[in-house]
């Protein structure tokens, strides 16, 4: 077992008083040891990152601290005093607040009602509403946490809902704030705003624990960072003394290439031409508004954007299954041949026959049949292809042998082709889909969120396969909400907002700030000097991209 302090680089200041100290925390869920003998020390008044891959045990550890789970063993000290956290009320009384990965707000209540909910109740509700209004106003002014107290939650953007969660914790006078993967749902600008808020809270002497799997965020904002791997605490270090590469290696347990080494693209003729593509959905809402794009052979075109701006509809039309009840117009052509936008000949199987591979955004509902085995899933969508058939029958032996070879090549674990898809982890499920689609060697590969919920090690692998396909002269359309992924993979970037292409950029000649503005619907002409400012802490994103800063 490893302990904090085994890591190279400087340790967090051991002399500083600790806001939180965990000693030997263990927790099992049935056979899964989610936390193994975890020790952690969070100095008061610091921002402390906890980083680790999916399933490393981060949320479990924080849920124990917040009284959601009872540990099997171990001790919790808050401000130096041992505390038995039996429920979240105990945690709140000890000054701990938590902002969950999935917000726990009541959707049809107002901001104000949500903030006081659970903090006071009964006949005291009315006077406390008035008081809460005052406190909210003050908190908003102090920390840039502006939200209209009378707005109903469901009317608020995700970023604003998150502010309400933070306000809720501060209203309960939290001194220690835990945020579990807070930026997964935010635009870059919202994430920057959140970081400003967190710095403000730190300046006030509060202690922040930030859980994330994003190395960039850890480097940008934390004072110290602790790394978890497979339920264990691998170590803790001062952020200034470490690097993204070192942290990635600690998370995964081996060296990881954070960026695919790739040579400049040598684009050829357009493979897919999209002209004036428009989609009006069932409710009469225009989801795509006149999309014009070319994707060339030997090129990865990345589509950046906050999710929900039409990317899903675009992928669905290209994949041959436009949303039910929608009306599509415009023109698509693949290698100079017109593709139908609806009716006969517009379906997924036909598109695959034409040479369009598709790794869908939602692998569980569209990419895989979860109850079918891995080997069956490796042929899913291609079961009419000649190599999957012998005479009128499917050649199961051939498909199985091919599946096993794919599992070997893509290092899909466990290496059992007879296991149902649902029994693989998210990363391995994704590898099954990627293996199936890439190895068909399509002329055009459509990819939606290829690494969502996928571990760093598998991300590296998937990215390498995508670049290899490009280098083989194929066209790739990559849709991702992860700007880092777009920047490191794309040869050209188009930004989508509200069903439109807001602009195109070359990765080496743009910044996350500029892309972020386009993602928020602010085009070059409306660009104000104020909104263009990117805090220097987020700048090194560009350092992580292969082309480096512009
Ligand atoms: P992280 O937040 O680092 O992604 P989690 O703490 O959510 O990881 O999960 C750690 C491990 O514990 C995973 O294998 C997960 O499947 C398992 N786990 C988490 N919560 C539960 C639960 N309530 N019941 C059973 N298993 C769980
Ligand atoms: Mg988690």
């Amino acid at each position: 077992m490893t302990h904090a302090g085994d890591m190279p680089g400087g340790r967090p200041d051991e002399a500083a008083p600790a806001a939180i100290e965990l000693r030997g925390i263990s927790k099992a869920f049935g056979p899964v040891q989610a936390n193994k003998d975890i020790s952690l020390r969070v100095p008061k008044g610091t921002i402390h990152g906890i980083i680790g891959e999916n399933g490393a045990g981060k949320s479990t550890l924080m849920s124990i601290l917040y009284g959601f789970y009872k540990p099997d063993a171990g001790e919790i000290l808050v401000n130096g005093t041992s505390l038995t956290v039996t429920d979240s009320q105990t945690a709140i009384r000890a000054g701990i607040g938590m902002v969950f990965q999935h917000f726990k707000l009541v959707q049809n209540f107002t901001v104000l009602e949500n903030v006081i909910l659970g903090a006071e109740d009964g006949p005291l509700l009315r006077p406390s509403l008035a008081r809460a209004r005052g406190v909210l106003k003050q908190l908003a002014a102090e920390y840039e946490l502006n939200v209209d107290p009378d707005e109903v939650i469901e009317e608020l953007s995700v970023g604003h809902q998150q502010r309400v969660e933070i306000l809720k914790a501060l209203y309960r006078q939290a001194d220690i704030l835990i945020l579990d993967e807070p930026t997964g749902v935010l635009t870059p600008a919202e994430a920057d705003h959140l970081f400003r808020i967190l710095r403000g809270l730190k300046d006030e002497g509060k202690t922040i624990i930030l859980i994330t799997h994003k190395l960039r965020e850890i480097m940008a904002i934390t004072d110290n960072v602790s790394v978890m791997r497979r339920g264990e605490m691998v170590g803790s270090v001062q952020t200034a003394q470490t690097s993204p590469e070192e942290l990635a290696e600690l998370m995964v347990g081996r060296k990881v290439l954070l960026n695919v080494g790739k040579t400049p693209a040598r684009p050829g003729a357009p493979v897919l031409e999209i002209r004036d593509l428009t989609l009006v959905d069932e409710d009469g809402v225009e989801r795509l508004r006149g999309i014009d794009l070319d994707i060339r052979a030997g090129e990865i075109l990345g589509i950046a954007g906050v999710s929900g701006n039409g990317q899903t509809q675009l992928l669905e039309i290209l994949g041959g299954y436009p949303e039910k009840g929608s009306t599509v117009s415009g023109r698509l052509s693949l290698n100079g041949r017109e593709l139908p936008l609806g009716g006969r000949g517009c379906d997924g199987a036909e598109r695959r026959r034409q040479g369009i591979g598709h790794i869908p955004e939602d692998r569980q509902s569209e990419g895989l049949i979860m109850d079918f085995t891995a080997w069956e899933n490796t042929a899913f969508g291609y079961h009419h292809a000649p190599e999957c058939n012998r005479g009128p029958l499917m050649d199961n032996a051939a498909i199985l042998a091919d599946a096993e070879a794919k599992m070997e090549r893509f290092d899909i674990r466990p290496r059992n082709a007879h296991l149902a898809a649902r029994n693989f982890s998210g990363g391995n499920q994704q590898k099954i889909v990627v293996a199936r689609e890439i190895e068909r060697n399509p002329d055009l590969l459509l990819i939606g969120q290829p690494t969502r919920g996928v571990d760093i090690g598998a991300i590296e692998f998937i990215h390498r396969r995508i670049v290899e396909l490009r280098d083989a002269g194929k066209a790739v359309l990559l849709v991702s909400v992860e700007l880092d992924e777009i920047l490191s993979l794309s040869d050209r970037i188009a930004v989508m907002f509200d069903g439109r292409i807001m602009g195109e950029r070359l990765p080496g000649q743009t910044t996350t700030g500029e892309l972020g503005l386009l993602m928020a619907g602010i085009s070059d002409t409306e660009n104000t000097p104020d909104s263009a400012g990117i805090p220097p802490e987020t700048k090194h994103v560009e350092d992580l991209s292969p082309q480096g800063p512009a």
Side-chain angles (χ1 to χ4, degrees), residues 422-541:
R422 72 168 67 263
N423 294 323
F424 289 85
S425 71
N428 284 293
Q429 288 174 359
Q430 185 69 328
K431 282 189 188 175
I432 295 175
V433 181
V434 171
R436 180 184 73 212
E437 300 298 326
I438 285 194
E439 295 214 338
R440 285 275 142 187
N441 209 16
D443 289 343
L444 169 68
L445 181 65
L446 309 172
I447 318 176
Q449 321 298 347
T451 53
R452 183 180 273 168
V454 174
D455 298 338
I456 293 194
I459 289 176
E460 174 198 20
F461 183 88
I462 291 171
H463 282 180
R464 236 183 309 135
R465 295 284 94 76
I466 293 172
V467 170
E468 279 170 18
L469 191 73
R470 178 203 79 164
D471 289 344
K474 308 299 183 171
V476 177
L477 178 70
L478 166 75
V479 170
S480 175
V481 293
E482 298 286 349
L483 210 43
D484 291 356
E485 177 164 57
I486 292 280
L487 277 164
S488 84
L489 272 185
S490 310
D491 301 310
R492 193 156 54 91
I493 300 171
V495 182
M496 246 178 123
F497 172 77
D498 198 22
R500 284 194 183 85
I501 300 296
M502 290 298 295
E504 281 186 27
R505 295 289 183 276
L506 295 174
Q509 297 171 15
T510 186
T511 62
T512 44
E514 185 185 33
L515 293 173
L517 286 176
L518 292 169
M519 285 164 69
I522 300 162
S523 68
D524 327 59
T525 47
E526 298 164 55
N527 202 340
T528 62
D530 185 36
S531 59
I534 339 159
E537 290 81 357
T538 59
K539 284 250 170 79
H540 65 274
V541 174

Side-chain angles (χ1 to χ4, degrees), residues 29 32 34 52-61 69 101 180:
F29 296 105
V32 178
E53 297 199 273
N54 288 301
K58 308 179 295 292
S59 294
T60 301
L61 188 65
Y69 296 134
Q101 215 162 352
D180 194 351

Side-chain angles (χ1 to χ4, degrees), residues 9-162:
R11 302 177 190 184
D13 188 353
E14 304 270 338
I20 294 288
E21 197 173 343
L22 304 178
R23 293 181 185 161
I25 299 279
S26 290
K27 174 76 185 171
F29 296 105
V32 178
Q33 191 70 44
N35 286 167
K36 279 178 234 172
D37 193 16
I38 302 252
S39 295
L40 171 71
R41 198 173 176 283
V42 180
K44 225 188 238 302
T46 61
I47 302 184
H48 196 107
I50 297 185
I51 195 160
E53 297 199 273
N54 288 301
K58 308 179 295 292
S59 294
T60 301
L61 188 65
M62 290 304 116
S63 299
I64 288 171
L65 179 54
Y66 197 60
F68 260 45
Y69 296 134
K70 186 177 168 300
D72 301 335
E75 191 186 6
I76 298 173
L77 289 92
V78 181
N79 295 318
T81 309
S82 181
L83 185 73
T84 310
V85 190
T86 47
D87 52 26
S88 45
Q89 285 307 318
T90 315
I92 291 166
R93 272 197 302 276
I96 301 172
M98 182 144 172
V99 176
F100 287 88
Q101 215 162 352
H102 306 285
F103 307 147
K104 296 191 182 301
L105 301 170
V106 183
Q107 287 292 312
N108 57 354
F109 276 28
T110 65
V111 169
L112 202 54
E113 288 164 343
N114 266 285
V115 165
I116 65 165
L117 192 73
E120 22 239 311
D121 39 32
L124 290 175
L125 204 59
R126 204 164 282 281
S128 58
L129 271 175
R131 202 182 43 147
R133 191 180 290 278
V135 175
L136 272 194
K137 216 168 156 179
Q138 193 193 326
L139 288 173
E142 219 172 312
Y143 303 114
E144 283 190 77
L145 278 161
N146 297 306
V147 268
D148 176 357
D150 300 311
E151 191 88 63
V152 177
I153 295 297
E154 59 195 0
E155 302 293 323
L156 295 177
S157 71
V158 178
H160 280 83
Q161 291 191 26
Q162 189 177 63

